[in-house]
Amino acid sequence: MTAPHVSPPDDPTHPPNRTHLPKTPHLPDLPPADPALSPRTGWTRAHWESIADRLLDGLLPYATPGFAQYRLPGPPSHSGPWSDGLEGFARSFLLAAFRIAGSGGRVGPELIERYATGLTAGTDPHHPEHWPPITDRAQPMVEAASIAIALHESRPWLWNHLADEVRQRVCAWLGAFVGADVNDSNWRLFQVITEEFLASVGAPHSRAEIDTGLARLDDWYRGGGWYTDGDGRKFDYYNAWALHLYPVLWARIAGARADTATVTRHRTRLHEFLAVHQHFFGSDGAPVHQGRSLTYRFATTAPLWAGALADATPLPPGRTRRLASGALKHFAEHGAPDERGLLTLGWYRPFLPVTQRYSGPASPYWASKAFLGLLLPADHPVWTAPEEPSPVDTGDVTLALPAPGWLLHSTAADGIVRLVNHGSDRLPPPPATHDDSPHYARFAYSSATAPETPGVDNHIALLGPDGTPSQRGRIHPGGAEGRRARSWQDGRIETVSLVRGAWEVRVHRLDVPPGTPVREGGWAVADDAGPPDARTGPGRALARRSDGLTSALVGLYGWDGAEAAVVRGVGTNAMGHQSATPVLQLPQTRPLLVTLVVLGADPHPPLTGASATVTADGTVEVRFPDGTLERVPTGLSGAPEPSPGQAPAGTG
C-alpha cells in the first residue's frame, strides 16, 4: 500500500457542500444527541443500544411459538424456509448476545429467556421447530458459527444456566461440523469458530480442522491487510466482516489455547487493514457500495470494533466511534431498519438486485456484527472520547491499494469516496469463466452511488451486430500506485485510470477488429424524488440529481463524432427508483480513447480545460480541468494510430 495523498479543504472555515439522499422523516424513541461528546454524529452508546433493542423487538411478531425460528416476510433463499428460519434465530442471537454481554446481563430477563427457549426447541430433533442439521456445504454451517459466538459471549447469563440436557443437544447439533466438507472460502472460519467453542466446553472437536482452517486463511493473504475470499481475486467487504473479524472472535473463544504467534499475525494484519478501511466511509457515513452481500449494510463497521477489542487498531478511539456511528446513523436515517423495526433485503429500501441466491429474509441480520462494540465497557475510550473526524472530513485523499488493484479518491468538499477498480472480479482462477456481476465488474464504485443492475454505467463495451455489449470479464491487474491504476480485460482493452479530486481520466487502448462499435458509460445517479436531469452536447453528457449530485462524461480524445446520450433506468438502482447514466457511443471504435469521468456534489462541475494529446512515441498527455498534467506511456497494444484531435471539453 502506498501512502495516501491528502489535501486540505479549500476553505475549512466554511461548511462543505455535502450530498445526502432524502432521509426517513423521523427516528422514534432515540436518545437525545450529545453534540459535546459526538460533534460529528451526535450519537452515543445509548443510540447503539436503542437501535439494537428496536431490531430485536421488531423480530418478535415473526418468531415461532418456541422461539427457535424467525420466519420473516420476503422471498426465501435457495436453502428454503426451514434454513431461513434458523438464520433468523442465529443472526439475531448474535445481536442479543452482544446486547446482553455489553450490559453485564442487565437487560429484561425475557430477552435471555427468549433465546434459551429457542435453543431448547431448536436442538430437540422431536420438536416441531427443530433446526435443520449441519451437513456438507450447507447453510446451517454459517448459522452455527453465529450461534457459537453468541453462546460464548453470553456464557455467564445463558449457557451456564441451560439444563445439562440442552447443553448436550447444542453440542451434538454443532458437533456435526466435525469431519464435514466445508466450502473453501470464508466458510472455513465457521468451522474454526464452531469447533473452538466445542473445545471450550469440553465437547468433541478436531484441533486439526481448526488449525487447517486458520492456515488456509494465510494462503489467501495478499498483503497490505487484504485477503481474497478463497482462490482468485475476490476482494470485497468479506475482508472486513469475515476474514478479519472471525480470527478476533476465535481468539476470544480460544483464550489460552490460542497460538500466540497466530494471534499476533492476525492482529498485525487487522491493524494494517484498518488504516485503509477508515477511508471507505463517506462523510455522511455511507460505505462504498461494492461487492456482494451488501444487504448486511452496517456490518461494514465490524472490523472497526474488532480492532478496538483486540488492541489492534491504528485509529484513535474517537474516530472509531465516529466512523461506526456515522454508518449506523446513515442507514437509520434512510429507512434501515424500516418502520416495523426490520432489516429488509436491500440497501435502504427493499432492493433484491443487491442479494444473492443464498440471501433469505433474515440474511440482513448479519448486520448484527456491527454491534460488536457493545462488548467494550461503557467507560472504554471508544465510548467516552470525543469524536474525531474521519479522513474524508478533513481533506481530499488519494490512496492506492495494490493488493486488490484499487484506487480510492475522496473529496472533503462533498464527502464522497470513490473506488476505482482494476483488480477485483470475483471470478475463480482460470480457466473458469463467469458472467459479469455489476458489483464487481464496473470500473468504479462510490459511497454516493450504486451500479445499475443491469446497466451501462462505469463500463466500456464493444457492441455486437445486435447491440449486445461485451463483458469486462476477467480483470488482469497491471498495478496501482500513486494516483493511477491499470488493468486489461478479455477482448484486449487496456485501461489506465488517473485520478485527481473528483475527476477520473480513463485512457483506453483497444486492440479490436476495425469497425467495431464501442460505448462507454459514466456514473449512474439515482433519485426517489424524480428522474435526474439530463444534458448532452458535443462529446459530453451529464446527469444531475435533484440535490445536485452530478455525473459527467466527457470525451477527451478519439470520441469526435460520438453520440452523447443519457440512459435512464427505473427500479434498477439501490440508491433511488429513477436513475440516469451519461453515455458516449461511437459507430466504429478507435485504437485510443480518453475519457473524463466526474462524480461530485457540484451541479456545475468544472470541465473546461480538460484535454488529451498524443506525442510521437504514443505517450498520452492528459490535462485535468485544474491544469494538472499527467503522462501515460504506450501500453500493451503498442503506439496508437493517429486519431482526429479534439478541442478541450466544454461545460455540461
Side-chain angles (χ1 to χ4, degrees), residues 465-489:
D466 61 354
T468 301
S470 63
Q471 297 183 341
R472 191 175 185 189
R474 190 172 301 280
I475 299 173
H476 304 269
E481 184 177 6
R483 296 182 178 273
R484 63 181 64 191
R486 185 184 105 172
S487 66
W488 63 274
Q489 64 198 60

Side-chain angles (χ1 to χ4, degrees), residues 78-111:
H78 71 94
S79 297
W82 190 21
S83 176
D84 294 345
L86 164 64
E87 187 171 71
F89 176 90
R91 300 187 180 197
S92 65
F93 184 27
L94 195 62
L95 175 58
F98 295 156
R99 183 71 176 94
I100 293 165
S103 66
R106 292 184 295 275
V107 295
E110 64 276 4
L111 181 63

